[in-house]
Amino acid sequence: MAASFRRVAIVGTGLIGGSFALALRRYFPDSVVVGWDKPQVLRDALERGGIHEAIPDLSLAIAGADLIYVALPVGHTIELLPEIARLAPRNALVTDASSTKRSVCAAAAESFREGGAHFLGGHPMAGKETSGIASADPNLFRGSKYALMRASASEKRVKERELHVAGFVAVIEKLGAEPVWLDAESHDRAAAVVSHLPQLLSVALAGVVRSQTDETGLPVTLAGRGLRDALRLAGSPYSVWRDIILTNSDNLERVLDQMIQALEQVRSDLRTRALEEEFTAAGELYKILRDMQ
């Protein structure tokens, strides 16, 4: 039987944490959801109806929680994990929503000790180009993959941990997400390709468009939905991405090198029929992604 979470502490009530809180309120009405964040963010979370109670003191927010959901920037998560591990109730499950996993899971391995709370690394593959509780959506996770990190082979209290993990899996499935199990190394390699690279390409494309725009406003004034769709991710602020990039720079350098080579190949094929093959291959991948939705 999976564990039930009667009291849930949301550490960070922005877009992801706020969306998770709103979803819990909708699908698990018997759970008490409390939030920890900056005072104004907590006030906004209360007004949105995401949390029952705003608690600006971390120790009080975590006290008595069965589930502690950490939805902070990667660097802030790493900084707070030792304190969260110290404060968390013994049988609580602590899980994070960070977009990179190696640094977070390494910090968790140092912080969570035998006899304390359990830790589960996680990353919902969902989001928006806008941030904050104002953009939170209880359906944000629906139809999305939810990456979960496998337990270390040396981890003890396995059965007890599995009970709590099964409870969390049941929660995210109720929210409409599909759990995907992998290790932190594999996650960061994959996320660099399917999440972090598209973000950087969108930023780079925006830079090219801006540099090509003259005093008349062209070519931007001629743009349609295609450019807008391609630049959607460019609306995401650097503050959200700084720690993600810093903690996955090795994988990003590798895929950026491949991207540069691919662009060089496209340039060399501009006047040949080989470019048709690139279009065909790209179209096939798009169909696969479209059918996954």
Side-chain angles (χ1 to χ4, degrees):
M1 179 184 294
S4 60
F5 303 114
R6 295 163 298 176
R7 185 177 178 87
V8 181
I10 308 294
V11 180
T13 56
L15 172 64
I16 300 299
S19 295
F20 188 74
L22 286 167
L24 286 177
R25 294 291 306 275
R26 174 177 293 182
Y27 296 104
F28 297 90
D30 293 335
S31 295
V32 175
V33 183
V34 303
W36 176 89
D37 210 311
K38 298 175 182 177
Q40 182 57 56
V41 178
L42 288 175
R43 285 194 290 270
D44 293 341
L46 275 173
E47 290 179 6
R48 284 290 316 270
I51 55 178
H52 292 94
E53 187 178 357
I55 306 178
D57 184 297
L58 184 61
S59 63
L60 295 178
I62 288 176
D66 304 297
L67 174 65
I68 300 167
Y69 191 87
V70 185
L72 298 167
V74 177
H76 199 183
T77 295
I78 292 171
E79 290 173 4
L80 275 186
L81 276 181
E83 186 174 4
I84 291 172
R86 180 177 62 84
L87 296 171
R90 180 186 183 279
N91 287 320
L93 177 68
V94 179
T95 186
D96 78 304
S98 302
S99 296
T100 56
K101 298 270 55 93
R102 288 174 298 172
S103 298
V104 171
C105 289
E110 290 291 323
S111 302
F112 288 82
R113 301 300 184 183
E114 180 69 14
H118 307 280
F119 179 79
L120 172 65
H123 177 205
M125 303 302 292
K128 296 181 180 180
E129 68 275 15
T130 52
S131 59
I133 185 65
S135 299
D137 180 355
N139 292 315
L140 184 69
F141 308 105
R142 187 161 298 282
S144 299
K145 302 293 194 300
Y146 201 115
L148 296 171
M149 302 304 105
R150 297 191 185 99
S152 166
S154 61
E155 190 162 343
K156 297 179 175 60
R157 297 165 63 202
V158 173
K159 288 186 178 180
E160 184 179 294
R161 182 181 186 276
E162 286 179 349
L163 182 69
H164 291 77
V165 169
F168 184 72
V169 169
V171 168
I172 62 175
E173 288 179 335
K174 180 72 172 179
L175 304 190
E178 178 186 345
V180 178
W181 291 94
L182 66 171
D183 59 83
E185 290 279 350
S186 298
H187 169 275
D188 286 4
R189 285 197 303 270
V193 177
V194 302
S195 176
H196 310 162
L197 177 62
Q199 175 65 43
L200 294 182
L201 291 181
S202 186
V203 170
L205 176 59
V208 172
V209 173
R210 289 180 68 250
S211 70
Q212 292 293 313
T213 301
D214 61 24
E215 64 276 4
T216 70
L218 283 172
V220 170
T221 54
L222 195 62
R225 291 185 58 183
L227 180 64
R228 186 188 66 189
D229 291 345
L231 291 181
R232 181 182 67 82
L233 295 176
S236 187
Y238 175 69
S239 58
V240 170
W241 285 92
R242 181 193 62 188
D243 292 350
I244 298 170
I245 293 168
L246 290 175
T247 54
N248 208 20
S249 58
D250 55 342
N251 285 314
L252 276 170
E253 287 174 352
R254 174 179 55 82
V255 295
L256 282 169
D257 283 343
Q258 289 183 292
M259 191 71 239
I260 291 168
Q261 293 172 15
L263 288 173
E264 291 286 358
Q265 186 64 51
V266 167
R267 181 166 65 175
S268 69
D269 291 341
L270 285 176
R271 294 174 178 84
T272 74
R273 290 298 298 272
L275 195 58
E276 182 179 4
E277 298 176 6
E278 296 290 336
F279 268 74
T280 300
E284 290 173 353
L285 177 59
Y286 170 71
K287 290 175 183 176
I288 292 172
L289 294 172
R290 181 191 61 195
D291 293 343
M292 287 172 57
Q293 300 303 318

